[in-house]
Amino acid sequence: MMTVHEVSKLAGVSIRTLQYYDKIGLLHPTEYTEAGYRLYDDTDLQRLQQILLFRELKFPLKEIKRILESPDFDCNKALEQQIALLTLKKEHLENLILFARGIKLLGVNYMDFSAFDTSKIDEYAAQAKASWGNTPQYKEFEEKAKNWTPEDEKTFAVQVMSIFSEFGKIKETDPASEEAQSLVVRLQTFFTEHFYNCTDEILSGLGKMYAGGGDFTKSIDEVGGEGTAEFANKAIQFHCQR
């Protein structure tokens, strides 16, 4: 576990920024000490890396939150984009170094301004950003969410968690039971009505994400009791494989 001060130094992100990410639900710490101090684990740090990548691509925080919570999120794709973007920035810095050396050798009359050209970086960042908004589900979600207020977001979050609370009440039963399967249908219907067309394939991905550890598992187990996320995933997988 790392404290907020340690994470701040490691990532080069201010403590105030980390506190704000926690406040808006973008990056919750795994635990809090009895004194209320934030503690982050490796999963939290991985999510922070992804957040910082999308910040480099000029994404607003609200969009980053939606992408990271999307069933279509691909960590490997994000890392590939990060590598490509950093490579372009490295080339840009090398050009600036050569430009500065040229001035030193030739004097202030050295008039090559091409080193300041960031068009490649800007173009790549724009293409990468666009690639995360091209799925039908993301576009549908974006359309439905464009007029949401913060209160709407809280209401939907409460409604989703109420379903998981119901999962928690029956987590010691068979995930293939009629009661468990009715909750799966209820969850799938809710996502389709309020977010995007939640196909069985997407639902299966969501279930695996819920049981995969990190913020989702922690939040679900908090409302339903330990093991709720895993039980819900088993029920979802049974539904999707029938």
Side-chain angles (χ1 to χ4, degrees), residues 3-62:
T3 67
V4 68
H5 293 275
E6 291 170 333
V7 173
S8 175
K9 289 181 180 180
L10 177 68
V13 178
S14 71
I15 293 174
R16 181 173 294 182
T17 296
L18 292 170
Q19 291 170 338
Y20 182 66
Y21 287 174
D22 184 11
K23 181 180 178 181
I24 64 174
L26 182 59
L27 178 66
H28 292 305
T30 294
E31 293 180 11
Y32 294 88
T33 66
E34 291 183 1
Y37 294 109
R38 295 167 173 82
L39 294 174
Y40 298 83
D41 64 8
D42 289 345
T43 301
D44 301 325
L45 294 179
Q46 290 171 5
R47 184 175 174 93
L48 178 58
Q49 286 179 330
Q50 293 158 0
I51 292 168
L52 296 179
L53 161 64
F54 286 114
R55 290 299 288 158
E56 287 290 332
L57 297 176
K58 311 302 181 185
F59 273 66
L61 294 178
K62 192 172 183 179

Side-chain angles (χ1 to χ4, degrees), residues 163-164 166-168 170-171 173-188 200 203-204 206-208 210-211 227-242:
I163 299 175
F164 285 116
E166 294 299 315
F167 273 114
I170 61 170
K171 66 178 184 292
T173 66
D174 184 356
S177 69
E178 183 177 345
E179 189 173 7
Q181 290 305 301
S182 68
L183 286 175
V184 173
V185 172
R186 182 175 159 194
L187 185 67
Q188 186 175 29
D200 284 351
L203 184 64
S204 176
L206 286 172
K208 293 173 183 176
Y210 294 149
T228 299
E230 181 60 36
F231 175 79
N233 177 47
K234 289 179 180 178
I236 287 171
Q237 299 312 320
F238 179 83
H239 170 86
C240 295
Q241 293 167 12
R242 284 191 302 182

Side-chain angles (χ1 to χ4, degrees), residues 94-116:
E94 288 173 344
N95 288 335
L96 287 175
I97 291 170
L98 288 173
F99 175 75
R101 286 176 175 165
I103 292 178
K104 184 177 180 180
L105 290 172
L106 303 176
V108 293
N109 291 326
Y110 184 61
M111 292 297 180
D112 180 7
F113 287 90
S114 61
F116 294 98

